[in-house]
Amino acid sequence: MRPADDHERALHRQAEEARQRAYVPYSDFPVGAALESEEGAVVTAGNVENASYGLTICAERSAVVRAVAEGHRRFRAVAVAGVAASVPPCGACRQVLAEFALPGMTITFPEDGVLVTYTVEEILPASFRL
Ligand code: THU
C-alpha cells in the first residue's frame, strides 16, 4: 500500500463523477467506481440498489459488468469513491475484480481520509481460481 499517484487521483475523480449517478434510495451511501482497461479506456458506474436489499449491485461490480459488455476484459487500475473517510471495496467485489485483473492491477480508494493504492494481490491474496 502507498499513497495514490497523480494518475490514480485522476481516475478517482472519474469515480467521483460516477458516484453522482449512483441509485441509492435505501442506504443513501453512493459509491462510484472507475475502471481503466489495458488499452486505457475508462469505464465507470455507481452502485444500484433495490427494494429487495440483497439484490443491490456495488459500484465496482456494476463497472466490471458494464466494461465487459463494452468489450473490455483486462484492467490495469480501478478507483473507488464514496462519501466516507474509508471506502474499501467489499470482499465480493475484490473477487470479481481479480477475475479480470492484469497482474499488479491497482485499486485506489480513501482509507482514513487518505487516498491510497493497493495492488490486487495485496488486497485479495489467495483469490479463488478454477
Ligand atoms: N457498496 C459498493 O457500492 N461497493 C462496495 O464495495 C461496498 C458497498 C454499496 C452497496 C450499497 O448500495 C451501499 O454501498 C451500502 O452498503
Side-chain angles (χ1 to χ4, degrees), residues 61-129:
R61 278 178 292 150
S62 299
V64 167
V65 170
R66 181 181 180 190
V68 172
E70 291 180 2
H72 307 291
R73 287 279 175 94
R74 305 301 280 167
F75 304 105
R76 60 188 188 202
V78 59
V80 182
V83 290
S86 297
V87 191
C90 78
C93 288
R94 294 178 193 201
Q95 177 67 32
V96 172
L97 288 166
E99 180 81 18
F100 299 100
L102 290 165
M105 182 181 85
T106 58
I107 303 179
T108 297
F109 57 88
E111 193 172 65
D112 298 326
V114 177
L115 207 53
V116 295
T117 296
Y118 288 77
T119 65
V120 65
E121 294 85 1
E122 282 177 321
I123 211 167
L124 187 64
S127 65
F128 178 74
R129 304 273 167 191

Side-chain angles (χ1 to χ4, degrees), residues 2 5 7 9 20 28 39 68 92 102 105 122 129:
R2 55 172 174 73
D5 66 21
H7 184 76
R9 289 181 174 280
Q20 313 301 321
D28 197 29
E39 303 88 8
V68 172
L102 290 165
M105 182 181 85
E122 282 177 321
R129 304 273 167 191

Side-chain angles (χ1 to χ4, degrees), residues 14-55:
Q14 293 186 263
E16 286 181 320
E17 284 175 25
R19 190 186 66 208
Q20 313 301 321
R21 295 183 293 280
Y23 175 73
V24 290
Y26 306 105
S27 73
D28 197 29
F29 190 85
V31 180
L35 267 176
E36 186 181 338
S37 76
E38 63 182 340
E39 303 88 8
V42 175
V43 179
T44 65
N47 46 337
V48 180
E49 298 188 340
N50 191 273
S52 178
Y53 298 165
L55 301 183

